[in-house]
Amino acid sequence: MKHELPYQSAAATDFAEVVIPLALPLNYTWAVPEHLKEAALVGCRVEVNLGKSKKYAGVIKRVHQTPPEFFEAKELVSVLDAAPVVFESQLQLWEWMARYYMCTEGEVMAAALPAHFKLSSETILVFNEEAGDDFTELDHEAFLVAEALLLRKELKLTEVQLILDSSHVYPVVNRLIQGKICYVWESLKDSYSPKKETYVLLHPDYDNEAALERLLNTDTKLQRAEKQLELLLGYLHFQKTEGSITKQALLKKTGASEAQLKGLADKGILMLEKRSVDRIRSLPKDIRINFELSAAQSAALENIRTVFKEKDVCLLHGVTSSGKTELYIHLIEEQIRQGRQVLYMLPEIALTSQTIRRLQRHFGGHIGVYHSRFSQNERVEIWNKVKDGSLKIVLGARSSLFLPFQDLGMIICDEEHDPSYKQMEPAPRYHARDAAIYFASLFKGCKVLLGSATPSFESYNNALTEKYGLVQLTERFGNIKLPEIELVDTRRYRTKEFADTIIFPPLAESIRSTLERNKQVILFQNRRGYTPYQRCNTCGWVPQCKYCDVSLNYHKVYNKLVCHYCGTNYPLMVTCPGCGGHDFIQKQFGTERVEEVLQELLPHAHIGRMDVDTVRGKHAHDQLIQTFEQQKLNILVGTQMVVKGLDFEHVELVGIVDADGILSFADFRVNERAFQLMEQVSGRAGRKHGVGKVMVQTTQPEHPVLLQVQRHNYRALFDDELPKREQFGYPPYTRLIRLTFKNKIKDVVKDAAALFASGLQDQYGRFVMGPSEPLINKVRNQYLMELLLKLPRNTRLITQCKQDILFKIAALHQEKRYKSVVVIPDVDML
């Protein structure tokens, strides 16, 4: 039988390439019906059918007139926006990220758009009118839902859950569908709703002074209602001093009741009106630069301007507390005065609270914040303000890169070395710093400024080879000296007396003397929880997660064992399942234990802890930082959160409790990362008054990295490490692609990784390392194998290799045994 060619319309038909939030390797194409042609613009969201009944909201990437070659295109259902929600520059960024980081545009879209823009397919039950009203044969639960359907005609699944007071309603719904009581209709709904507030207004009849005077002086009904009269006078006062006022604010300020306000409304004196309001508080839009730069800062600023005349990217290498932020402020001002927008990126949400207060003093309402702790409604509002150009500066974490900037003039990537700029899970596994450099290239004249006291070796190498510009700021603001670093050799305390000691005598004494001078202390320990693991003292058994190949961390505050990989909680072990013994010893220590030891050591000190467990809430990190700034806390114990760019005026002493833990990671970047962490945390000391002090507890004081930290000598570390990187083929001399294979069956994942590696051997053999088991070879009940490719910095070779890998992943999944093996490519892995 002869097959017909795919459908082609005789008249010119428009087709839309649409990105939908699924991991489809290629974007699907839909036909644009005649009545939607004018509305179907690039960047608009559209409602589409995929498969038999699934509906998705996608974004139009391209409109063209070439019909699909191998299938008949379905028609778009509807266009959801009057104007595009994303610009073409964003769609170009999505395409580049999908290509470079080996994922799909749908996965990038899912990461980029606020949840309220990704419309949800919500099941609605519709009553079948032919079913009648006799439900006597139904069970109790089905009867309740059928009765509600008879009355309401339609019910959402969430409403069914409320009726039954249960989240497990699918069996009941299934029985109703099977009994033809109802049927299912899939509907896409936009879940964003504007915030509404009730405002109090004076009735237009009393808008002039004469009418108002008659009301106040001659209206007998009002004169007799004394409380209502007081409320009205209060309203008139606030209207005169503040303008419009909300119902909530008026009742709070006057102490009046809802009934009194309702009485004035019933008399037609006041009116209540609901209005849409911003969730984000707005400040006046003014620019106030009221500080002077030092001579070193002024020279650095001029050098940056000079670099930007020739290069699009500049690395600002400035020591801690050298005043990099003041330079950022001047550069931002220049862009705002030109009417352009600026993106200021920070690696951690915890940093945004202190920085936003600082920037708002200079730029007021021109600046907004965007990160994952904001509600979805707040993110939509920021998105819209950036899109219409009313918000000129955005301060945010890596996700802020996806915002719809209209005219981006500069991207500032502060603490550019920080690993938090790299998205680990899920796809896209992008590096925000590198993606920002590409994104800037899509805007005319947009510049990128990378700032750090301890730049990544890749960025510093790019600067030395003149791919980027380089500007150095080598002195602290106000000529304050860099902190003195003292190494505490803990081997001297290897006696029974100090067997369980965490804070050794030199550090303990320094903490006491610092607090006596009314100064503050920061203690850094790069592990959270109480103890990383417990061990049976009789047989050596260690409690492990049953889903992951890791020991369990003990969290004393919850009195539970916690897996830091899958989050599973376990009760505290009191009996060893191996030998039945009850003698457990706790090994190593986390921030919880450090906090407890300090409380015993200094019972009158006020101690705070900053780690993932203590700053979970939206404003928790801001509250903790402000409490420490106001000196309500004497000591702050923390993980990496306390390392990154925070500015505390009264911190005189910083203690690194366990430097050995930082120096012992099995990673080619270990020395680079250790130096960065220790240099950054030492930079919190002595930023304003006098010389700060840093004490580092270690069993290896002769370690070369510690000696370079003592001298604050970044360049010596860089010069020492680079030849080793070149010798062993690591960045910046190569590009790394790590392939992680995951499956529930250990033999299957091992065989899949071996088969995949053998397929790469012919063409890329000398660049392929592995496959091998990672240090932690089981996470969330999935066994892992890894394959590493060290590719020379040859763009054509790297592009070809990525294409071959994606082809081989598809080929692997064609084999029945390996169909369920998940293969995760991670480009430029950290």
Side-chain angles (χ1 to χ4, degrees):
M1 179 179 164
K2 186 178 175 182
H3 290 280
E4 296 291 329
L5 287 171
Y7 147 87
Q8 294 190 32
S9 172
T13 304
D14 282 355
F15 295 91
E17 180 186 339
V18 179
V19 184
I20 59 174
L22 292 178
L24 298 178
L26 295 175
N27 294 326
Y28 206 74
T29 298
W30 280 266
V32 182
E34 194 65 35
H35 70 283
L36 294 179
K37 275 190 175 181
E38 287 187 16
L41 303 174
V42 170
C44 282
R45 292 175 302 161
V46 288
E47 185 178 352
V48 295
N49 279 316
L50 187 70
K52 286 186 178 179
S53 58
K54 286 291 180 185
K55 287 191 177 181
Y56 295 94
V59 173
I60 296 178
K61 181 186 176 185
R62 189 168 65 97
V63 177
H64 56 89
Q65 292 189 329
T66 307
E69 192 177 348
F70 300 106
F71 62 93
E72 182 177 335
K74 296 179 181 180
E75 289 192 341
L76 300 178
V77 178
S78 65
V79 177
L80 301 170
D81 304 300
V85 294
V86 298
F87 294 132
E88 287 197 48
S89 56
Q90 290 171 276
L91 293 170
Q92 286 175 268
L93 176 66
W94 295 4
E95 184 181 345
W96 176 85
M97 287 179 79
R99 187 172 63 246
Y100 186 86
Y101 291 106
M102 300 176 68
C103 59
T104 68
E105 289 179 61
E107 289 171 310
V108 180
M109 174 192 171
L113 290 183
H116 289 330
F117 283 154
K118 296 173 287 188
L119 304 185
S120 56
S121 182
E122 181 174 292
T123 302
I124 295 177
L125 301 180
V126 180
F127 182 67
N128 181 8
E129 296 292 349
E130 295 176 6
D133 58 0
D134 182 11
F135 308 132
T136 51
E137 293 185 10
L138 298 178
D139 60 68
H140 176 66
E141 290 181 323
F143 182 91
L144 288 175
V145 179
E147 283 280 293
L149 276 166
L150 178 66
L151 295 170
R152 294 272 303 279
K153 305 305 178 190
E154 288 183 7
L155 286 176
K156 298 173 188 172
L157 272 186
T158 49
E159 293 171 322
V160 176
Q161 289 170 347
L162 288 173
I163 291 167
L164 300 180
D165 193 23
S166 169
S167 59
H168 303 292
V169 299
Y170 290 96
V172 179
V173 170
N174 192 49
R175 292 199 294 275
L176 290 172
I177 294 168
Q178 295 295 327
K180 295 186 170 50
I181 305 295
C182 65
Y183 57 90
V184 170
W185 177 59
E186 287 290 325
S187 167
L188 285 173
K189 72 152 195 175
D190 190 339
S191 51
Y192 169 69
S193 57
K195 184 180 179 182
K196 302 272 189 181
E197 282 198 4
T198 303
Y199 278 79
V200 182
L201 307 172
L202 188 64
H203 196 280
D205 290 350
Y206 305 105
D207 229 358
N208 60 75
E209 285 196 23
L212 191 58
E213 192 175 334
R214 283 196 302 274
L215 172 69
L216 293 172
N217 295 329
T218 61
D219 191 309
T220 53
K221 288 183 182 176
L222 187 59
Q223 297 297 328
R224 285 200 296 268
E226 190 179 326
K227 292 288 185 184
Q228 289 182 13
L229 181 60
E230 282 179 21
L231 174 57
L232 178 60
L233 292 170
Y235 167 76
L236 294 171
H237 169 72
F238 290 121
Q239 185 196 39
K240 192 172 182 180
T241 56
E242 299 180 19
S244 57
I245 187 168
T246 63
K247 170 184 163 183
Q248 187 180 1
L250 177 64
L251 295 179
K252 187 176 180 181
K253 288 179 176 181
T254 58
S257 68
E258 292 255 8
Q260 289 154 13
L261 180 58
K262 186 176 183 298
L264 287 171
D266 291 343
K267 289 173 182 175
I269 297 169
L270 294 180
M271 300 189 308
L272 302 179
E273 181 181 281
K274 279 195 180 288
R275 294 181 186 172
S276 295
V277 296
D278 284 348
R279 289 177 167 83
I280 312 294
R281 187 171 62 92
S282 294
L283 296 171
K285 290 189 174 181
D286 54 356
I287 299 174
R288 297 187 305 275
I289 309 298
N290 50 11
F291 60 85
E292 299 255 340
L293 296 178
S294 68
Q297 285 176 311
S298 297
L301 182 59
E302 204 50 50
N303 289 339
I304 291 169
R305 289 176 181 142
T306 303
V307 165
F308 280 149
K309 288 175 185 175
E310 296 181 3
K311 298 184 186 296
D312 292 328
V313 184
C314 178
L315 174 64
L316 174 60
H317 180 200
V319 297
T320 55
S321 196
S322 57
K324 294 185 288 294
T325 307
E326 282 83 0
L327 301 189
Y328 302 155
I329 289 167
H330 273 274
L331 291 164
I332 291 169
E333 182 200 10
E334 291 170 11
Q335 295 298 322
I336 303 307
R337 299 231 184 256
Q338 293 171 34
R340 305 196 74 181
Q341 293 173 300
V342 176
L343 171 59
Y344 187 143
M345 288 201 304
L346 289 165
E348 287 274 4
I349 292 169
L351 284 176
T352 57
S353 57
Q354 199 177 55
T355 309
I356 190 65
R357 291 197 300 273
R358 196 168 173 184
L359 293 181
Q360 279 175 339
R361 288 199 293 269
H362 303 294
F363 299 110
H366 284 298
I367 188 165
V369 184
Y370 188 86
H371 55 64
S372 59
R373 293 271 173 88
F374 276 15
S375 73
Q376 295 298 337
N377 283 325
E378 287 170 328
R379 286 194 233 180
V380 169
E381 289 178 10
I382 289 284
W383 181 283
N384 290 332
K385 287 182 179 181
V386 173
K387 183 169 170 283
D388 66 24
S390 61
L391 205 57
K392 294 297 182 190
I393 312 162
V394 175
L395 177 72
R398 60 176 179 257
S399 59
S400 58
L401 185 66
F402 294 115
L403 287 167
F405 291 96
Q406 212 176 57
D407 184 17
L408 196 56
M410 177 172 285
I411 299 177
I412 294 166
C413 185
D414 200 13
E415 309 295 348
E416 67 84 29
H417 66 277
D418 199 290
S420 298
Y421 278 122
K422 173 75 171 169
Q423 164 85 2
M424 301 299 183
E425 288 289 341
R429 294 170 182 82
Y430 68 102
H431 198 298
R433 175 198 64 211
D434 300 339
I437 292 170
Y438 173 79
F439 192 43
S441 73
L442 303 177
F443 295 86
K444 187 177 179 182
C446 183
K447 306 296 181 183
V448 180
L449 182 62
L450 310 176
S452 178
T454 54
S456 66
F457 283 5
E458 288 89 339
S459 293
Y460 198 67
N461 188 65
N462 283 335
L464 293 183
T465 55
E466 299 187 356
K467 183 178 179 182
Y468 302 164
L470 176 63
V471 175
Q472 309 221 50
L473 200 50
T474 56
E475 61 181 52
R476 279 186 152 191
F477 184 79
N479 287 318
I480 292 173
K481 289 183 179 179
L482 287 164
E484 296 173 357
I485 295 180
E486 181 183 329
L487 303 179
V488 178
D489 186 353
T490 57
R491 291 174 301 185
R492 293 166 47 200
Y493 301 95
R494 284 182 176 167
T495 60
K496 210 169 186 181
E497 182 188 351
F498 296 105
D500 296 317
T501 302
I502 290 173
I503 309 292
F504 289 90
L507 179 56
E509 187 51 44
S510 290
I511 293 171
R512 284 195 189 92
S513 61
T514 303
L515 298 188
E516 284 167 8
R517 292 191 296 277
N518 291 319
K519 296 294 182 183
Q520 291 173 297
V521 177
I522 288 177
L523 290 186
F524 170 58
Q525 169 59 8
N526 207 25
R527 286 178 183 273
R528 63 188 176 99
Y530 191 78
T531 53
Y533 67 96
Q534 294 180 300
R535 190 181 73 202
C536 173
N537 207 19
T538 308
C539 71
W541 179 81
V542 175
Q544 287 202 311
C545 177
K546 59 185 173 185
Y547 306 113
C548 309
D549 184 27
V550 290
S551 58
L552 296 170
N553 282 253
Y554 173 48
H555 286 248
K556 193 171 186 180
V557 69
Y558 312 122
N559 198 34
K560 288 189 175 179
L561 298 173
V562 180
C563 174
H564 283 180
Y565 281 78
C566 67
T568 307
N569 293 334
Y570 298 83
L572 185 64
M573 285 285 178
V574 291
T575 303
C576 173
C579 66
H582 305 295
D583 183 13
F584 282 91
I585 55 172
Q586 292 163 344
K587 301 298 289 182
Q588 302 298 324
F589 55 89
T591 47
E592 256 188 70
R593 178 93 184 276
V594 175
E595 184 184 23
E596 182 183 88
V597 167
L598 282 169
Q599 210 69 72
E600 293 169 3
L601 201 64
L602 304 158
H604 301 297
H606 300 287
I607 302 164
R609 177 162 53 89
M610 190 176 187
D611 55 30
V612 171
D613 299 315
T614 61
V615 292
R616 290 187 187 277
K618 179 178 173 183
H619 301 293
H621 58 277
D622 190 23
Q623 290 164 356
L624 182 57
I625 287 167
Q626 287 196 55
T627 304
F628 193 61
E629 280 178 328
Q630 294 159 8
Q631 292 186 278
K632 293 177 182 175
L633 295 173
N634 309 118
I635 305 172
L636 184 62
V637 179
T639 55
Q640 290 187 42
M641 288 184 177
V642 299
V643 172
K644 302 170 182 179
L646 294 170
D647 187 3
F648 299 118
E649 186 176 344
H650 302 285
V651 172
E652 190 180 88
L653 174 68
V654 167
I656 297 173
V657 184
D658 179 25
D660 298 338
I662 306 169
L663 292 163
S664 60
F665 284 108
D667 188 274
F668 74 92
R669 285 191 176 95
V670 61
N671 288 347
E672 178 188 1
R673 290 276 167 75
F675 182 93
Q676 286 167 343
L677 276 171
M678 288 189 269
E679 183 68 11
Q680 288 284 344
V681 77
S682 70
R684 304 314 109 208
R687 294 175 72 89
K688 292 288 191 296
H689 313 292
V691 179
K693 186 177 183 181
V694 180
M695 301 192 76
V696 182
Q697 295 188 155
T698 177
T699 59
Q700 37 188 340
E702 66 289 336
H703 196 290
V705 172
L706 292 177
L707 299 177
Q708 285 151 351
V709 170
Q710 258 193 315
R711 302 185 191 107
H712 303 285
N713 196 338
Y714 170 85
R715 185 58 189 265
L717 176 81
F718 179 84
D719 290 341
D720 184 51
E721 286 286 304
L722 259 282
K724 298 170 188 171
R725 297 276 183 96
E726 187 173 22
Q727 181 185 354
F728 293 102
Y730 283 110
Y733 298 102
T734 57
R735 289 255 186 223
L736 300 183
I737 301 176
R738 179 177 59 199
L739 300 173
T740 303
F741 299 79
K742 298 167 70 171
N743 194 265
K744 287 186 176 181
I745 303 170
K746 193 170 187 177
D747 288 342
V748 169
V749 77
K750 275 190 169 184
D751 293 347
L755 180 66
F756 202 97
S758 67
L760 292 172
Q761 284 298 327
D762 288 345
Q763 197 168 351
Y764 305 102
R766 61 199 176 100
F767 308 131
V768 178
M769 308 287 121
S772 61
E773 285 189 355
L775 199 61
I776 295 163
N777 70 349
K778 183 185 173 190
V779 175
R780 294 186 176 91
N781 231 18
Q782 298 271 331
Y783 289 95
L784 309 180
M785 290 292 289
E786 287 182 351
L787 200 60
L788 182 66
L789 286 97
K790 298 180 182 177
L791 298 168
R793 298 178 77 87
N794 178 317
T795 305
R796 186 177 295 176
L797 176 71
I798 293 168
T799 303
Q800 183 60 51
C801 183
K802 288 177 181 177
Q803 291 172 357
D804 290 343
I805 288 170
L806 292 174
F807 176 79
K808 288 181 187 302
I809 291 172
L812 182 76
H813 288 152
Q814 294 305 306
E815 297 196 32
K816 188 177 179 182
R817 185 166 188 246
Y818 305 125
K819 201 173 186 67
S820 61
V821 174
V822 177
V823 186
I824 300 172
D826 188 359
V827 180
D828 299 340
M829 43 78 71
L830 290 184

